Amino acid sequence: MSNSNQNLVPKPDKLCRVPRVKYLLKNAAKSKSLRHATQIHSQIVTTNDASVSNINSLLLVYAKCGSIDHTLLLFATTPHASSNVVTWTTLISQLSHSNNPSRALACFNRMRSTTLIYPNQFTFSAILPACAHAPLLSHGQQIHALLLKHGFQTDTFIATALVDMYAKCGSMSLAQNVFDQMPHRNLVSWNSIIVGFLKNKLYGCAIGVFKEFIQKTSLFPDQVTFSSVLSACAGLVALGLGKQVHGSVVKRGLVGLVYVKNSLVDMYCKCGVFQDATKLFCDGGDRDVVTWNVIIMGCVHSQNFEQACNFFKDMIREGVEPDETSYSSLLQASASIAVLAQGTLIHSRVFKTGHLKNACVLSSLVTMYGKCGSLFDAYRVFGEVKDRNVVCWTAMIAVCHQHGCGNEAIELFEEMLREGVVPEYITFVSVLSACSHTGKVDDGFKYFNSMANVHHIEPGLEHYACMADLLGRVGRLEEAWRFIESMPIEPDSSVWGALLGACGKHGNVEMGREVAEKLFKLEPDNPGNYVLLSNIYTRHGMLEEADEVRRLMGINGVRKETGCSWIDVKNRTFVFNVNDRSHSRTQEIYEMLQKLKELIKRRGYVAETQFATNSVEGSEEQSLWCHSEKLALAFGLLVLPPGSPVRIKKNLRTCGDCHTVMKFASEIFEREIIVRDINRFHRFTNGSCSCRDYW
DNA sequence: CTAGGGTTAG
């Protein structure tokens, strides 16, 4: 070994130690290893190397390792730490970014009360994110005033932090004000205002600023710009624009970056082109938990529930740990499939992975249990939630309503208001529906009027439809008509549809015809309207007119959706169509139905042949006994253990005759029978239904 | 030695 080589090895003398500590600190910050940090800490102490700059670096390393406790301890135990503005700034910055906005603010105030220490520009840009994070507009404004006094308003870092703070506190006008007055703006400044508009759901403004940014500056958009703009496109459901942005992303070579990719996949999902989203998702490249969440949600929104569950399994197989969003989306999928066993399995998984505290997960659980037909479990989960937010309350109210417990839904709503939780747009949809199903017209109007007057929520079509239903159900058809005519927004098919249903219920042929004609224009392809009007005519003996409606249906090429029911038995789903004879136990099923028919006839059952729609004269009764939900019931009675509940799902509204039969069956077989039809639950026990025959 | 912006959920 030559002499020159030996000289390259650092000597353990005092001169070499200072850079060595700096080097170690840098590495520790990168590796985020708390063990390394504590080792360096003891080295600094034993070698008497506790210079202010080393202590400050170490503070930062502790914070980067995620240990605010170590940071605070070091600050408290270092003499003279509180006499250095950099030390304070480091501490404040780390508190701001570690979910401790109030501690950051307290720290800032303590620093200010320390004489001879004055905040510098770094301190201000460190404290503003705390106000943004809280969010605390009044504190932010105070700090704004303070930094004006110090003359820092032209600093690009500080002004950018101000824009972000005002945006996150919900005041885009103040954010825009600061932005407009900036003498110099860089990429981060532009990104901040774009993100601000995005977060305040002002998607059009976000895109407007983006266009201005492209035209007026020579700066290049980065992944932050693109992911935000794509998110705005998703919010606007602007596929054309989204594709254009996708083009720019490709041109800039940023398509592989995971943030950008996630936003792209999400944009395609939200714009309804799920195929494009899947293609992009499968194209390879980096995927993180958000990529998976986005595609799973995309499946849910495009009704591909099975696929959502499969993606979830793939995600786990690839070693990506699901987070709260994943569980929330998966629960939505299984709520829609409504397999209670699967939902329960996910519940236990959520419990095991410690995600049972998240409000969204809990709300999804409530909804899942509700949609799987278990009001009891939904209530149980709801009862365990500590901090119920409006989402939780709304979920529980909706579940009650779907299960026919309108009174309980309204009581829950009142309880929610008493607890000071502010209701939202969707909350009122469930509350007004509950009023309608319980015939509470006055309460309904009270809540409806409180929307605008008390809660400043503009009623939408869903709410007007509820009100039309509310008046229509109790037979106040003329009032309902006038109510619709007085609407400030154009009534759509859901509003007129509610009134048509009421015309059917109360046998108003004249109004029914008029309403149906409006509906035929609004949605010529919806078979439900033709069927409703035809049924109104049939019940009034106007058979020619009924035939005419059916002919019109044929001319318009509308086909009635065929009834289909399914039932889950031991992790398998069995599907039954109307008149189904394809099941291997068909003979037993029809024998079971025959037996049931004889039993209930002795108890007074009379076939309600008006629900027999597609049959030859004289065989109406027979056709009723081929309805899919009856077939599923018979199969359930055959294979399910005695006493266990029968859970049936149906793709259409359940028919009146089946409803009656289910009531009888629940009594005779001493079983709970739960039928989920297209819009609600029927829970049959001891001969009666939870809907009180009112649906 | 200290500073500002990001995707998903009812």
Side-chain angles (χ1 to χ4, degrees), chain A residues 187 210 213-215 217-226 244-257 260:
Chain A
L187 178 60
F210 172 67
F213 166 75
I214 296 292
Q215 283 159 10
T217 74
S218 54
L219 297 164
F220 292 127
D222 70 350
Q223 32 179 339
V224 179
T225 329
F226 280 126
Q244 240 173 293
V245 178
H246 188 175
S248 315
V249 167
V250 173
K251 214 169 78 188
R252 298 238 169 266
L254 300 175
V255 78
L257 297 172
V260 178

PDB file of all heavy atoms in Angstrom, chain A residues 187 210 213-215 217-226 244-257 260:
ATOM      1  N   LEU A 187     -43.478  28.052 -10.223  1.00  0.00           N
ATOM      2  CA  LEU A 187     -44.350  26.909 -10.472  1.00  0.00           C
ATOM      3  C   LEU A 187     -45.192  26.550  -9.244  1.00  0.00           C
ATOM      4  O   LEU A 187     -46.400  26.291  -9.349  1.00  0.00           O
ATOM      5  CB  LEU A 187     -43.507  25.698 -10.900  1.00  0.00           C
ATOM      6  CG  LEU A 187     -44.255  24.395 -11.154  1.00  0.00           C
ATOM      7  CD1 LEU A 187     -45.282  24.564 -12.259  1.00  0.00           C
ATOM      8  CD2 LEU A 187     -43.281  23.274 -11.507  1.00  0.00           C
ATOM      9  N   PHE A 210     -55.114  27.133 -15.022  1.00  0.00           N
ATOM     10  CA  PHE A 210     -54.136  26.277 -15.701  1.00  0.00           C
ATOM     11  C   PHE A 210     -53.880  26.784 -17.133  1.00  0.00           C
ATOM     12  O   PHE A 210     -52.744  26.901 -17.580  1.00  0.00           O
ATOM     13  CB  PHE A 210     -54.633  24.828 -15.729  1.00  0.00           C
ATOM     14  CG  PHE A 210     -53.798  23.904 -16.563  1.00  0.00           C
ATOM     15  CD1 PHE A 210     -52.496  23.586 -16.193  1.00  0.00           C
ATOM     16  CD2 PHE A 210     -54.308  23.353 -17.734  1.00  0.00           C
ATOM     17  CE1 PHE A 210     -51.723  22.735 -16.971  1.00  0.00           C
ATOM     18  CE2 PHE A 210     -53.538  22.500 -18.513  1.00  0.00           C
ATOM     19  CZ  PHE A 210     -52.245  22.188 -18.133  1.00  0.00           C
ATOM     20  N   PHE A 213     -51.871  29.839 -17.023  1.00  0.00           N
ATOM     21  CA  PHE A 213     -50.495  29.454 -16.697  1.00  0.00           C
ATOM     22  C   PHE A 213     -49.736  29.016 -17.959  1.00  0.00           C
ATOM     23  O   PHE A 213     -48.598  29.423 -18.203  1.00  0.00           O
ATOM     24  CB  PHE A 213     -50.546  28.325 -15.659  1.00  0.00           C
ATOM     25  CG  PHE A 213     -49.254  27.578 -15.457  1.00  0.00           C
ATOM     26  CD1 PHE A 213     -48.209  28.132 -14.749  1.00  0.00           C
ATOM     27  CD2 PHE A 213     -49.112  26.290 -15.965  1.00  0.00           C
ATOM     28  CE1 PHE A 213     -47.025  27.436 -14.549  1.00  0.00           C
ATOM     29  CE2 PHE A 213     -47.933  25.594 -15.780  1.00  0.00           C
ATOM     30  CZ  PHE A 213     -46.884  26.163 -15.075  1.00  0.00           C
ATOM     31  N   ILE A 214     -50.400  28.207 -18.785  1.00  0.00           N
ATOM     32  CA  ILE A 214     -49.763  27.710 -20.009  1.00  0.00           C
ATOM     33  C   ILE A 214     -49.500  28.851 -20.989  1.00  0.00           C
ATOM     34  O   ILE A 214     -48.436  28.936 -21.595  1.00  0.00           O
ATOM     35  CB  ILE A 214     -50.673  26.640 -20.681  1.00  0.00           C
ATOM     36  CG1 ILE A 214     -50.821  25.409 -19.779  1.00  0.00           C
ATOM     37  CG2 ILE A 214     -50.144  26.236 -22.044  1.00  0.00           C
ATOM     38  CD1 ILE A 214     -49.579  24.588 -19.598  1.00  0.00           C
ATOM     39  N   GLN A 215     -50.525  29.755 -21.112  1.00  0.00           N
ATOM     40  CA  GLN A 215     -50.399  30.827 -22.102  1.00  0.00           C
ATOM     41  C   GLN A 215     -49.421  31.914 -21.669  1.00  0.00           C
ATOM     42  O   GLN A 215     -48.638  32.410 -22.460  1.00  0.00           O
ATOM     43  CB  GLN A 215     -51.781  31.449 -22.355  1.00  0.00           C
ATOM     44  CG  GLN A 215     -52.644  30.584 -23.256  1.00  0.00           C
ATOM     45  CD  GLN A 215     -54.116  30.907 -23.108  1.00  0.00           C
ATOM     46  OE1 GLN A 215     -54.479  31.901 -22.457  1.00  0.00           O
ATOM     47  NE2 GLN A 215     -54.971  30.080 -23.703  1.00  0.00           N
ATOM     48  N   THR A 217     -47.048  32.029 -19.057  1.00  0.00           N
ATOM     49  CA  THR A 217     -45.720  31.820 -18.491  1.00  0.00           C
ATOM     50  C   THR A 217     -44.906  30.885 -19.368  1.00  0.00           C
ATOM     51  O   THR A 217     -45.443  30.192 -20.229  1.00  0.00           O
ATOM     52  CB  THR A 217     -45.791  31.203 -17.079  1.00  0.00           C
ATOM     53  OG1 THR A 217     -46.142  29.826 -17.200  1.00  0.00           O
ATOM     54  CG2 THR A 217     -46.796  31.911 -16.208  1.00  0.00           C
ATOM     55  N   SER A 218     -43.636  30.889 -19.100  1.00  0.00           N
ATOM     56  CA  SER A 218     -42.771  29.960 -19.835  1.00  0.00           C
ATOM     57  C   SER A 218     -42.383  28.787 -18.941  1.00  0.00           C
ATOM     58  O   SER A 218     -41.480  28.030 -19.248  1.00  0.00           O
ATOM     59  CB  SER A 218     -41.521  30.703 -20.299  1.00  0.00           C
ATOM     60  OG  SER A 218     -40.902  31.319 -19.181  1.00  0.00           O
ATOM     61  N   LEU A 219     -43.117  28.663 -17.832  1.00  0.00           N
ATOM     62  CA  LEU A 219     -42.817  27.561 -16.900  1.00  0.00           C
ATOM     63  C   LEU A 219     -43.414  26.261 -17.438  1.00  0.00           C
ATOM     64  O   LEU A 219     -44.408  26.267 -18.166  1.00  0.00           O
ATOM     65  CB  LEU A 219     -43.423  27.858 -15.521  1.00  0.00           C
ATOM     66  CG  LEU A 219     -42.887  29.094 -14.807  1.00  0.00           C
ATOM     67  CD1 LEU A 219     -43.822  29.487 -13.664  1.00  0.00           C
ATOM     68  CD2 LEU A 219     -41.483  28.819 -14.264  1.00  0.00           C
ATOM     69  N   PHE A 220     -42.836  25.137 -17.051  1.00  0.00           N
ATOM     70  CA  PHE A 220     -43.365  23.844 -17.456  1.00  0.00           C
ATOM     71  C   PHE A 220     -44.182  23.234 -16.329  1.00  0.00           C
ATOM     72  O   PHE A 220     -43.709  23.189 -15.192  1.00  0.00           O
ATOM     73  CB  PHE A 220     -42.231  22.883 -17.813  1.00  0.00           C
ATOM     74  CG  PHE A 220     -41.503  23.275 -19.052  1.00  0.00           C
ATOM     75  CD1 PHE A 220     -40.120  23.407 -19.043  1.00  0.00           C
ATOM     76  CD2 PHE A 220     -42.194  23.534 -20.235  1.00  0.00           C
ATOM     77  CE1 PHE A 220     -39.448  23.769 -20.204  1.00  0.00           C
ATOM     78  CE2 PHE A 220     -41.515  23.900 -21.391  1.00  0.00           C
ATOM     79  CZ  PHE A 220     -40.136  24.026 -21.373  1.00  0.00           C
ATOM     80  N   PRO A 221     -45.385  22.766 -16.653  1.00  0.00           N
ATOM     81  CA  PRO A 221     -46.171  22.101 -15.607  1.00  0.00           C
ATOM     82  C   PRO A 221     -45.470  20.830 -15.142  1.00  0.00           C
ATOM     83  O   PRO A 221     -44.811  20.157 -15.934  1.00  0.00           O
ATOM     84  CB  PRO A 221     -47.487  21.765 -16.311  1.00  0.00           C
ATOM     85  CG  PRO A 221     -47.218  21.865 -17.763  1.00  0.00           C
ATOM     86  CD  PRO A 221     -46.085  22.800 -17.934  1.00  0.00           C
ATOM     87  N   ASP A 222     -45.626  20.506 -13.868  1.00  0.00           N
ATOM     88  CA  ASP A 222     -45.015  19.278 -13.351  1.00  0.00           C
ATOM     89  C   ASP A 222     -46.106  18.309 -12.900  1.00  0.00           C
ATOM     90  O   ASP A 222     -47.282  18.497 -13.195  1.00  0.00           O
ATOM     91  CB  ASP A 222     -44.025  19.596 -12.220  1.00  0.00           C
ATOM     92  CG  ASP A 222     -44.724  20.080 -10.966  1.00  0.00           C
ATOM     93  OD1 ASP A 222     -45.948  20.341 -11.030  1.00  0.00           O
ATOM     94  OD2 ASP A 222     -44.056  20.199  -9.930  1.00  0.00           O
ATOM     95  N   GLN A 223     -45.718  17.279 -12.180  1.00  0.00           N
ATOM     96  CA  GLN A 223     -46.691  16.258 -11.781  1.00  0.00           C
ATOM     97  C   GLN A 223     -47.773  16.822 -10.862  1.00  0.00           C
ATOM     98  O   GLN A 223     -48.915  16.377 -10.919  1.00  0.00           O
ATOM     99  CB  GLN A 223     -45.986  15.095 -11.112  1.00  0.00           C
ATOM    100  CG  GLN A 223     -44.762  15.486 -10.355  1.00  0.00           C
ATOM    101  CD  GLN A 223     -44.121  14.303  -9.681  1.00  0.00           C
ATOM    102  OE1 GLN A 223     -44.753  13.291  -9.444  1.00  0.00           O
ATOM    103  NE2 GLN A 223     -42.862  14.420  -9.359  1.00  0.00           N
ATOM    104  N   VAL A 224     -47.425  17.801 -10.054  1.00  0.00           N
ATOM    105  CA  VAL A 224     -48.432  18.408  -9.178  1.00  0.00           C
ATOM    106  C   VAL A 224     -49.480  19.119 -10.021  1.00  0.00           C
ATOM    107  O   VAL A 224     -50.691  18.952  -9.814  1.00  0.00           O
ATOM    108  CB  VAL A 224     -47.777  19.393  -8.178  1.00  0.00           C
ATOM    109  CG1 VAL A 224     -48.828  20.030  -7.294  1.00  0.00           C
ATOM    110  CG2 VAL A 224     -46.731  18.684  -7.351  1.00  0.00           C
ATOM    111  N   THR A 225     -49.013  19.894 -10.997  1.00  0.00           N
ATOM    112  CA  THR A 225     -49.936  20.601 -11.880  1.00  0.00           C
ATOM    113  C   THR A 225     -50.866  19.610 -12.577  1.00  0.00           C
ATOM    114  O   THR A 225     -52.086  19.767 -12.559  1.00  0.00           O
ATOM    115  CB  THR A 225     -49.150  21.372 -12.969  1.00  0.00           C
ATOM    116  OG1 THR A 225     -47.898  21.789 -12.448  1.00  0.00           O
ATOM    117  CG2 THR A 225     -49.928  22.543 -13.484  1.00  0.00           C
ATOM    118  N   PHE A 226     -50.262  18.585 -13.159  1.00  0.00           N
ATOM    119  CA  PHE A 226     -51.059  17.656 -13.942  1.00  0.00           C
ATOM    120  C   PHE A 226     -52.040  16.859 -13.086  1.00  0.00           C
ATOM    121  O   PHE A 226     -53.200  16.689 -13.456  1.00  0.00           O
ATOM    122  CB  PHE A 226     -50.160  16.719 -14.749  1.00  0.00           C
ATOM    123  CG  PHE A 226     -49.631  17.343 -16.008  1.00  0.00           C
ATOM    124  CD1 PHE A 226     -48.269  17.373 -16.259  1.00  0.00           C
ATOM    125  CD2 PHE A 226     -50.501  17.915 -16.931  1.00  0.00           C
ATOM    126  CE1 PHE A 226     -47.781  17.962 -17.428  1.00  0.00           C
ATOM    127  CE2 PHE A 226     -50.016  18.505 -18.095  1.00  0.00           C
ATOM    128  CZ  PHE A 226     -48.651  18.521 -18.342  1.00  0.00           C
ATOM    129  N   GLN A 244     -57.035  15.697 -23.617  1.00  0.00           N
ATOM    130  CA  GLN A 244     -56.052  16.688 -24.056  1.00  0.00           C
ATOM    131  C   GLN A 244     -54.901  16.773 -23.049  1.00  0.00           C
ATOM    132  O   GLN A 244     -53.730  16.776 -23.417  1.00  0.00           O
ATOM    133  CB  GLN A 244     -56.738  18.059 -24.132  1.00  0.00           C
ATOM    134  CG  GLN A 244     -56.731  18.696 -25.489  1.00  0.00           C
ATOM    135  CD  GLN A 244     -57.574  19.956 -25.458  1.00  0.00           C
ATOM    136  OE1 GLN A 244     -58.793  19.886 -25.301  1.00  0.00           O
ATOM    137  NE2 GLN A 244     -56.936  21.098 -25.571  1.00  0.00           N
ATOM    138  N   VAL A 245     -55.275  16.844 -21.767  1.00  0.00           N
ATOM    139  CA  VAL A 245     -54.255  16.925 -20.723  1.00  0.00           C
ATOM    140  C   VAL A 245     -53.412  15.652 -20.724  1.00  0.00           C
ATOM    141  O   VAL A 245     -52.189  15.704 -20.560  1.00  0.00           O
ATOM    142  CB  VAL A 245     -54.900  17.169 -19.335  1.00  0.00           C
ATOM    143  CG1 VAL A 245     -53.841  17.210 -18.241  1.00  0.00           C
ATOM    144  CG2 VAL A 245     -55.692  18.463 -19.333  1.00  0.00           C
ATOM    145  N   HIS A 246     -54.084  14.513 -20.926  1.00  0.00           N
ATOM    146  CA  HIS A 246     -53.372  13.239 -21.021  1.00  0.00           C
ATOM    147  C   HIS A 246     -52.285  13.333 -22.105  1.00  0.00           C
ATOM    148  O   HIS A 246     -51.146  12.898 -21.908  1.00  0.00           O
ATOM    149  CB  HIS A 246     -54.371  12.123 -21.344  1.00  0.00           C
ATOM    150  CG  HIS A 246     -53.783  10.738 -21.274  1.00  0.00           C
ATOM    151  ND1 HIS A 246     -54.536   9.616 -21.422  1.00  0.00           N
ATOM    152  CD2 HIS A 246     -52.516  10.310 -21.068  1.00  0.00           C
ATOM    153  CE1 HIS A 246     -53.759   8.545 -21.320  1.00  0.00           C
ATOM    154  NE2 HIS A 246     -52.521   8.943 -21.109  1.00  0.00           N
ATOM    155  N   GLY A 247     -52.653  13.953 -23.235  1.00  0.00           N
ATOM    156  CA  GLY A 247     -51.693  14.150 -24.321  1.00  0.00           C
ATOM    157  C   GLY A 247     -50.473  14.937 -23.860  1.00  0.00           C
ATOM    158  O   GLY A 247     -49.328  14.549 -24.128  1.00  0.00           O
ATOM    159  N   SER A 248     -50.725  16.049 -23.166  1.00  0.00           N
ATOM    160  CA  SER A 248     -49.605  16.867 -22.670  1.00  0.00           C
ATOM    161  C   SER A 248     -48.738  16.083 -21.701  1.00  0.00           C
ATOM    162  O   SER A 248     -47.518  16.214 -21.689  1.00  0.00           O
ATOM    163  CB  SER A 248     -50.113  18.115 -21.958  1.00  0.00           C
ATOM    164  OG  SER A 248     -51.133  18.725 -22.677  1.00  0.00           O
ATOM    165  N   VAL A 249     -49.381  15.276 -20.878  1.00  0.00           N
ATOM    166  CA  VAL A 249     -48.650  14.470 -19.901  1.00  0.00           C
ATOM    167  C   VAL A 249     -47.678  13.536 -20.625  1.00  0.00           C
ATOM    168  O   VAL A 249     -46.505  13.431 -20.258  1.00  0.00           O
ATOM    169  CB  VAL A 249     -49.630  13.647 -19.019  1.00  0.00           C
ATOM    170  CG1 VAL A 249     -48.892  12.586 -18.231  1.00  0.00           C
ATOM    171  CG2 VAL A 249     -50.398  14.553 -18.082  1.00  0.00           C
ATOM    172  N   VAL A 250     -48.187  12.910 -21.692  1.00  0.00           N
ATOM    173  CA  VAL A 250     -47.351  11.995 -22.462  1.00  0.00           C
ATOM    174  C   VAL A 250     -46.193  12.768 -23.102  1.00  0.00           C
ATOM    175  O   VAL A 250     -45.037  12.340 -23.066  1.00  0.00           O
ATOM    176  CB  VAL A 250     -48.189  11.273 -23.540  1.00  0.00           C
ATOM    177  CG1 VAL A 250     -47.301  10.447 -24.451  1.00  0.00           C
ATOM    178  CG2 VAL A 250     -49.243  10.392 -22.879  1.00  0.00           C
ATOM    179  N   LYS A 251     -46.540  13.939 -23.651  1.00  0.00           N
ATOM    180  CA  LYS A 251     -45.524  14.757 -24.323  1.00  0.00           C
ATOM    181  C   LYS A 251     -44.393  15.133 -23.357  1.00  0.00           C
ATOM    182  O   LYS A 251     -43.232  15.166 -23.725  1.00  0.00           O
ATOM    183  CB  LYS A 251     -46.185  16.019 -24.886  1.00  0.00           C
ATOM    184  CG  LYS A 251     -45.566  16.481 -26.194  1.00  0.00           C
ATOM    185  CD  LYS A 251     -46.398  17.567 -26.862  1.00  0.00           C
ATOM    186  CE  LYS A 251     -46.200  18.929 -26.223  1.00  0.00           C
ATOM    187  NZ  LYS A 251     -47.130  19.949 -26.744  1.00  0.00           N
ATOM    188  N   ARG A 252     -44.773  15.401 -22.122  1.00  0.00           N
ATOM    189  CA  ARG A 252     -43.762  15.800 -21.140  1.00  0.00           C
ATOM    190  C   ARG A 252     -43.084  14.593 -20.489  1.00  0.00           C
ATOM    191  O   ARG A 252     -42.235  14.746 -19.621  1.00  0.00           O
ATOM    192  CB  ARG A 252     -44.390  16.641 -20.033  1.00  0.00           C
ATOM    193  CG  ARG A 252     -44.997  17.915 -20.510  1.00  0.00           C
ATOM    194  CD  ARG A 252     -44.390  19.124 -19.833  1.00  0.00           C
ATOM    195  NE  ARG A 252     -44.832  20.331 -20.518  1.00  0.00           N
ATOM    196  CZ  ARG A 252     -44.150  20.937 -21.480  1.00  0.00           C
ATOM    197  NH1 ARG A 252     -42.965  20.478 -21.842  1.00  0.00           N
ATOM    198  NH2 ARG A 252     -44.629  21.998 -22.070  1.00  0.00           N
ATOM    199  N   GLY A 253     -43.539  13.404 -20.861  1.00  0.00           N
ATOM    200  CA  GLY A 253     -42.901  12.198 -20.330  1.00  0.00           C
ATOM    201  C   GLY A 253     -43.198  11.947 -18.859  1.00  0.00           C
ATOM    202  O   GLY A 253     -42.396  11.358 -18.153  1.00  0.00           O
ATOM    203  N   LEU A 254     -44.370  12.427 -18.405  1.00  0.00           N
ATOM    204  CA  LEU A 254     -44.678  12.286 -16.979  1.00  0.00           C
ATOM    205  C   LEU A 254     -45.702  11.182 -16.711  1.00  0.00           C
ATOM    206  O   LEU A 254     -46.180  11.022 -15.590  1.00  0.00           O
ATOM    207  CB  LEU A 254     -45.216  13.620 -16.428  1.00  0.00           C
ATOM    208  CG  LEU A 254     -44.267  14.815 -16.539  1.00  0.00           C
ATOM    209  CD1 LEU A 254     -44.964  16.090 -16.086  1.00  0.00           C
ATOM    210  CD2 LEU A 254     -43.014  14.588 -15.700  1.00  0.00           C
ATOM    211  N   VAL A 255     -46.039  10.426 -17.731  1.00  0.00           N
ATOM    212  CA  VAL A 255     -47.152   9.485 -17.605  1.00  0.00           C
ATOM    213  C   VAL A 255     -46.830   8.342 -16.634  1.00  0.00           C
ATOM    214  O   VAL A 255     -47.722   7.737 -16.047  1.00  0.00           O
ATOM    215  CB  VAL A 255     -47.570   8.949 -19.001  1.00  0.00           C
ATOM    216  CG1 VAL A 255     -46.630   7.869 -19.502  1.00  0.00           C
ATOM    217  CG2 VAL A 255     -49.000   8.459 -18.989  1.00  0.00           C
ATOM    218  N   GLY A 256     -45.565   8.085 -16.422  1.00  0.00           N
ATOM    219  CA  GLY A 256     -45.208   6.989 -15.515  1.00  0.00           C
ATOM    220  C   GLY A 256     -45.231   7.376 -14.051  1.00  0.00           C
ATOM    221  O   GLY A 256     -45.156   6.501 -13.181  1.00  0.00           O
ATOM    222  N   LEU A 257     -45.343   8.666 -13.761  1.00  0.00           N
ATOM    223  CA  LEU A 257     -45.305   9.084 -12.354  1.00  0.00           C
ATOM    224  C   LEU A 257     -46.611   8.720 -11.665  1.00  0.00           C
ATOM    225  O   LEU A 257     -47.694   8.961 -12.188  1.00  0.00           O
ATOM    226  CB  LEU A 257     -45.054  10.588 -12.260  1.00  0.00           C
ATOM    227  CG  LEU A 257     -43.700  11.004 -12.826  1.00  0.00           C
ATOM    228  CD1 LEU A 257     -43.572  12.522 -12.883  1.00  0.00           C
ATOM    229  CD2 LEU A 257     -42.574  10.411 -11.978  1.00  0.00           C
ATOM    230  N   VAL A 260     -49.549  11.214 -11.182  1.00  0.00           N
ATOM    231  CA  VAL A 260     -50.197  11.573 -12.442  1.00  0.00           C
ATOM    232  C   VAL A 260     -51.042  10.405 -12.941  1.00  0.00           C
ATOM    233  O   VAL A 260     -52.188  10.568 -13.341  1.00  0.00           O
ATOM    234  CB  VAL A 260     -49.130  11.960 -13.488  1.00  0.00           C
ATOM    235  CG1 VAL A 260     -49.781  12.280 -14.816  1.00  0.00           C
ATOM    236  CG2 VAL A 260     -48.301  13.130 -13.000  1.00  0.00           C
TER     237      VAL A 260
END
